[in-house]
Amino acid sequence: SVEDFLQKDKRFFDLILMSDVLEHVYNPWQVLNETKNHLSQNGILCISIPNIENLNFIKSINEGDFYYTETGLMDETHIRFFSLKSIIYYLELSGYVVKNTSFRPDNSLSNIKEQVIKNLTEKNSVKLNIGNLSIEINSRNVHQKFGQQILICAENVK
């Protein structure tokens, strides 16, 4: 496991990639703290994790359709969930400085996203109705709502 590796290995790295790791561990906060101990000064940690703010997640939760699947956003092995705001909080709490954030788009929502972005050129925000839920989308949160994965790089500042 990642926890065992972090406890046993004593090496330092300039770059550590965690692609779809944190959502699978019981104590991701410990993993973030221990990973920091393996990064060289100014070393970079890059993370990719599922985005709980994704409109498909929100729709499923709102409609009570919270079922696990073999793969994807609702992967049955996911035991932790994160938003952009929460992963930034946990990184900063662990002593990292967030350098860059981005999202891998959810292609299943690309047609809706294109229409919303088109509407945002004429308005400050767009209300999107999903079942009985109304979500306000603006230029600041559009990628959060349509992103399947959060991509984030943080620096270890010792």
Side-chain angles (χ1 to χ4, degrees):
S1 72
V2 67
E3 296 96 340
D4 291 336
F5 172 80
L6 290 170
Q7 289 176 0
K8 292 177 184 173
D9 195 285
K10 301 300 178 205
R11 293 178 290 172
F12 288 89
F13 304 93
D14 294 329
L15 173 66
I16 295 177
L17 302 174
M18 286 191 187
S19 181
D20 296 297
V21 173
L22 292 177
E23 68 273 17
H24 297 276
V25 296
Y26 285 104
N27 193 338
W29 310 278
Q30 178 184 356
V31 169
L32 288 173
N33 283 322
E34 299 234 356
T35 300
K36 192 169 187 288
N37 296 330
H38 290 277
L39 280 170
S40 59
Q41 185 173 350
N42 299 325
I44 300 290
L45 171 64
C46 292
I47 300 170
S48 171
I49 54 175
N51 174 25
I52 197 150
E53 290 183 87
N54 174 281
L55 289 175
N56 284 325
F57 256 154
I58 293 169
K59 180 178 185 283
S60 294
I61 292 167
N62 184 59
E63 294 177 358
D65 291 330
F66 196 89
Y67 301 104
Y68 289 93
T69 58
E70 287 186 32
T71 61
L73 293 170
M74 297 301 298
D75 184 312
E76 59 196 21
T77 65
H78 291 178
I79 55 176
R80 298 289 182 201
F81 298 92
F82 299 93
S83 64
L84 177 63
K85 185 177 180 179
S86 69
I87 192 60
I88 289 173
Y89 171 80
Y90 292 124
L91 283 163
E92 290 175 348
L93 191 65
S94 296
Y96 293 92
V97 174
V98 174
K99 292 301 199 178
N100 197 357
T101 65
S102 187
F103 292 89
R104 184 171 60 81
D106 184 336
N107 292 331
S108 72
L109 297 169
S110 61
N111 290 339
I112 299 169
K113 182 180 179 183
E114 286 176 25
Q115 187 62 46
V116 166
I117 289 174
K118 181 179 175 187
N119 289 338
L120 285 174
T121 61
E122 301 165 10
K123 306 176 189 178
N124 290 332
S125 66
V126 174
K127 289 209 185 237
L128 188 61
N129 294 316
I130 301 173
N132 64 353
L133 187 65
S134 180
I135 297 174
E136 186 173 336
I137 300 177
N138 56 48
S139 60
R140 292 181 313 277
N141 71 4
V142 68
H143 298 294
Q144 288 171 243
K145 302 305 179 190
F146 292 96
Q148 186 172 16
Q149 294 283 121
I150 299 168
L151 308 172
I152 191 163
C153 289
E155 185 176 24
N156 178 20
V157 180
K158 291 185 176 180

